[in-house]
Amino acid sequence: MSGRRLNAPLLIGGALVLLVVAMALISYVWTPYEFKYLPVPKEQTPNAQHWLGTDRSSRDVLTQILLGARTTLFVGLVAVAVAAVIGVPIGILAAMSPRGFGQLIMRGNDILLAFPALLLAIMFSALYGGGTFVAMVAIGIATIPAFARIVRSGALQVVNTEYVAAARVAGRGPFAIAWQHVLPNVIGLVIVQASVSFAIAILAEAALSYLGLGTPTGEPSWGRMLLESQNVLHRAPHLAIIPGAAIALAVLGFNLFGDGLRDYLDPKLEGR
């Protein structure tokens, strides 16, 4: 792997992801202002005191962007963790089970796959009330099928190898084979899928917050900023452009990073 070159999507995506992470980390030690109403004119355009302007509630936009990066990363991390912790074992189980039982597991997985992440999150919000935690869990559950499918595909190749057959002859149980042989060989696929699912989670949370079903009022969120800016688009379009650009760059970054990482880790794609 040392002879491979880092490709452009991996480098560009990694830079964008690092930018989002840096904004979230910076917000823990510094923000231009507190996240509260300021005794300044509302809907200011970018200026020396407020680099990205102020919103309709006289809050500093740059402060909200920095704090919103926390929410974005937190939602993505929790949603991806939920999907991976459940989806990866399901995929390995489907690959190592008898053909009929494995197919049954995947058909149930396909039923869940039919529900888009945003639709499932809306259903959960309607049942349990809107909120960041509900959105995270719903997005995570909706992403489980993607992890299960890709892990099963990789695990099927592993379980048919000679060293797995040798492990069975040596008396190793299914759990030991899954833990010591299958999981290490599909972890690359899991990392790539996690990056792509991270982008899906960011977009779904922003959409839910825009619909008023995600992050509640009074908490920083890029989607919430879009919601609050829609009534002033004609006189302060920057209030929608700035958070919209932040969401677009974050989603683009994680998608590019996932694609680039897939190309880097897959020997078959090397040189194409």
Side-chain angles (χ1 to χ4, degrees):
M1 188 174 293
S2 59
R4 298 183 196 172
R5 293 182 178 181
L6 297 177
N7 53 69
L10 181 60
L11 293 175
I12 296 173
L16 292 175
V17 170
L18 286 177
L19 177 61
V20 177
V21 173
M23 289 193 296
L25 294 177
I26 289 172
S27 71
Y28 283 102
V29 296
W30 174 83
T31 55
Y33 299 91
E34 295 290 332
F35 180 70
K36 62 181 180 180
Y37 305 113
L38 302 173
V40 297
K42 63 182 181 179
E43 300 170 16
Q44 290 188 59
T45 55
N47 54 67
Q49 288 75 33
H50 303 277
W51 295 348
L52 297 181
T54 58
D55 66 5
R56 57 185 300 191
S57 300
S58 298
R59 293 176 298 195
D60 183 69
V61 174
L62 178 56
T63 297
Q64 295 184 69
I65 290 294
L66 293 175
L67 294 175
R70 287 193 211 173
T71 303
T72 296
L73 291 178
F74 184 58
V75 169
L77 284 172
V78 174
V80 169
V82 170
V85 168
I86 300 176
V88 171
I90 290 176
I92 295 177
L93 176 63
M96 297 185 64
S97 298
R99 181 177 178 82
F101 185 65
Q103 290 292 337
L104 181 63
I105 293 175
M106 296 312 297
R107 295 295 77 77
N109 188 73
D110 291 342
I111 293 174
L112 184 58
L113 186 64
F115 291 90
L118 183 58
L119 177 59
L120 194 63
I122 291 174
M123 293 171 57
F124 270 60
S125 298
L127 290 173
Y128 303 107
T132 307
F133 179 76
V134 173
M136 290 186 297
V137 173
I139 295 169
I141 292 175
T143 319
I144 289 173
F147 279 88
R149 287 173 67 90
I150 196 167
V151 169
R152 176 180 177 270
S153 177
L156 283 173
Q157 300 179 30
V158 177
V159 297
N160 292 320
T161 57
E162 293 182 358
Y163 61 85
V164 170
R168 287 172 175 162
V169 172
R172 290 187 178 273
F175 180 80
I177 293 174
W179 180 257
Q180 297 178 4
H181 299 288
V182 178
L183 183 59
N185 282 282
V186 300
I187 196 66
L189 297 174
V190 173
I191 294 174
V192 173
Q193 182 59 43
S195 179
V196 176
S197 296
F198 213 110
I200 296 173
I202 291 173
L203 197 58
E205 188 279 330
L208 286 173
S209 295
Y210 179 76
L211 295 174
L213 299 173
T215 304
T217 305
E219 295 184 17
S221 167
W222 295 344
R224 173 64 63 174
M225 292 175 69
L226 284 176
L227 173 63
E228 295 174 350
S229 68
Q230 62 180 354
N231 293 327
V232 295
L233 282 176
H234 58 289
R235 61 176 183 267
H238 67 283
L239 296 180
I241 293 174
I242 293 171
I247 295 169
L249 288 177
V251 172
L252 177 64
F254 278 100
N255 273 321
L256 285 177
F257 185 73
D259 289 344
L261 190 61
R262 177 201 61 199
D263 295 347
Y264 181 75
L265 293 176
D266 191 345
K268 297 178 182 178
L269 298 176
E270 186 178 2
R272 290 189 181 181

